[in-house]
Amino acid sequence: MIVTEGLTKRFNGTLAVDGLTLEVREGEVFGFLGPNGAGKTTTVRMLSCLIAPTAGTAWVNGYQVGREDGAIRRSVGILTEAPGLYERLSAEMNLSLYARLYEVKDVAGQVEKYLRLLGLWEQRHQPTAEFSKGMKQKLAIARALIHEPRVLFLDEPTAALDPEAARIVRDFIEEMRVEGRTIFLCTHNLDEADRLCDRIAVFKQRLIQVDTPQNLRQRLYGRKVAFRLKAVTPALVACVQALPFAREVQADGNQLIIGLNDPENQNPQVVRALVEAGGDVQYVGELRHSLEEVYFKLLGEP
Ligand SMILES: Nc1ncnc2c1ncn2[C@@H]1O[C@H](COP(=O)(O)OP(=O)(O)OP(=O)(O)O)[C@@H](O)[C@H]1O
Ligand SMILES: [Mg+2]
């Protein structure tokens, strides 16, 4: 759906994006994470043909950036950092204007569909100058979708939103995924990325790592399981250490934290060994590193 090869953007002296090579698959929600100034927005602007790359190439929806920009613009939706609406026009007018620009067939129908979906139908006649930040954001999302694009670029879609509005937008992204659209999502909200994204790229001028959130965790930290016992005794520690597959055994209060590569098959063996050694197992649960920990580790920051 989106393929980039050595995509590069230089602004005068600044190298904003340096040789980005990646592939975003059809129907996936792809998270693009990185600190302020990492070059995320610049990447989105190149992929949606708003600015030209300095070097490298990219294909979006099968069309090549720089060669078939018109076709790309028609087939993608973009939510930019600043909504940029026509403030004196009503919400309805804003949307129908874009719907006509995109040559949408059923303009009135599409406008109504998205105003209702985003909860703006009652306010449709109000000039957008009178809208709150969140309402503007929702209208900008509606605008990005009005022509039913197959690929959607969302640059920090929930940044300005209250928790409820952010949730509406997140649910919306889920729905877009169910409909098989491809979503390229820039966000600073790591929990959001963790929940929504099939795969995540950590990026800072260059691509640092791409994988599923789960694989990123495992690759960096391995899997660890906590076994809570009535009491941890030296004998229990020793019996677990004797298991050939236990990578690492740590006692923490009344828990044993054990590094395991295959908890599904190894947990029962650990429990059996503990019980045989006289341990009372109260609880078994896998530890989960937050995506925030993964993110900072990948960026090499504390
Ligand atoms: N039009 C421009 N002219 C000159 N420099 C620019 C321009 N647009 C972006 N840059 C520079 O490119 C770099 C990347 O900016 P970009 O906006 O892509 O970052 P970002 O990852 O989106 O950051 P943020 O998380 O703050 O939105 C920055 O150093 C920025 O100053
Ligand atoms: Mg940005």
Side-chain angles (χ1 to χ4, degrees):
M1 259 304 122
I2 302 173
V3 176
T4 74
E5 272 176 25
L7 196 66
T8 298
K9 182 70 187 182
R10 194 185 287 277
F11 293 108
N12 307 318
T14 331
L15 189 57
V17 176
D18 185 9
L20 175 65
T21 297
L22 60 78
E23 189 173 344
V24 178
R25 300 171 193 142
E26 176 157 21
E28 87 177 326
V29 178
F30 189 86
F32 203 51
L33 311 187
N36 292 131
K40 303 179 298 294
T41 298
T42 302
T43 302
V44 165
R45 293 176 72 205
M46 286 191 280
L47 293 175
S48 49
C49 306
L50 297 175
I51 54 173
T54 310
T57 47
W59 288 263
V60 178
N61 262 325
Y63 303 113
Q64 191 172 6
V65 169
R67 295 224 169 129
E68 299 161 288
D69 289 4
I72 292 178
R73 289 198 194 101
R74 270 191 294 280
S75 68
V76 306
I78 175 167
L79 175 77
T80 52
E81 285 175 316
L85 300 158
Y86 292 102
E87 298 262 320
R88 277 186 297 175
L89 299 183
S90 69
E92 192 174 37
M93 290 287 285
N94 263 282
L95 281 192
S96 44
L97 186 72
Y98 280 92
R100 281 197 295 270
L101 279 176
Y102 280 117
E103 297 171 351
V104 166
K105 283 198 189 86
D106 176 16
V107 171
Q110 281 296 94
V111 168
E112 178 169 352
K113 172 180 165 187
Y114 281 106
L115 283 174
R116 284 192 190 280
L117 263 175
L118 287 153
L120 294 171
W121 180 246
E122 302 299 323
Q123 293 88 15
R124 65 187 178 281
H125 298 310
Q126 222 171 306
T128 59
E130 295 172 13
F131 274 19
S132 73
K133 237 186 335 187
M135 289 160 79
K136 285 182 185 169
Q137 184 79 337
K138 288 186 198 169
L139 188 59
I141 291 171
R143 182 181 62 189
L145 290 164
I146 199 82
H147 56 301
E148 307 287 351
R150 298 303 300 160
V151 174
L152 202 54
F153 293 101
L154 301 177
D155 200 354
E156 300 183 37
T158 56
L161 304 183
D162 68 32
E164 193 192 340
R167 189 169 168 171
I168 292 173
V169 170
R170 267 183 228 120
D171 290 347
F172 212 74
I173 294 173
E174 283 285 356
E175 266 173 57
M176 298 293 108
R177 192 234 310 260
V178 170
E179 288 176 6
R181 298 188 216 228
T182 307
I183 297 166
F184 192 94
L185 173 70
C186 301
T187 179
H188 288 297
N189 184 329
L190 299 174
D191 286 330
E192 172 174 296
D194 200 4
R195 266 186 281 171
L196 285 175
C197 298
D198 298 298
R199 288 191 306 147
I200 282 173
V202 177
F203 173 82
K204 187 178 173 184
Q205 264 184 347
R206 293 168 194 204
L207 189 60
I208 295 169
Q209 191 87 249
V210 198
D211 214 326
T212 62
Q214 191 52 27
N215 286 347
L216 288 175
R217 285 191 172 88
Q218 278 181 35
R219 218 189 294 173
L220 291 181
Y221 293 102
R223 294 176 77 178
K224 283 185 184 155
V225 180
F227 294 79
R228 195 169 69 206
L229 296 143
K230 201 162 166 190
V232 170
T233 62
L236 293 176
V237 175
C239 96
V240 174
Q241 277 168 340
L243 296 170
F245 54 79
R247 262 192 287 114
E248 205 190 315
V249 182
Q250 244 179 295
D252 176 18
N254 60 350
Q255 293 194 111
L256 283 176
I257 313 290
I258 308 175
L260 297 172
N261 293 329
D262 181 15
E264 286 73 21
N265 287 306
Q266 294 163 343
N267 283 351
Q269 298 183 56
V270 175
V271 170
R272 221 172 291 135
L274 286 168
V275 170
E276 275 166 16
D280 289 323
V281 181
Q282 295 175 328
Y283 168 84
V284 179
E286 185 159 353
L287 299 183
R288 198 178 143 89
H289 286 273
S290 69
L291 191 63
E292 189 179 25
E293 290 171 278
V294 170
Y295 175 85
F296 285 127
K297 193 160 178 179
L298 284 173
L299 287 169
E301 286 162 30

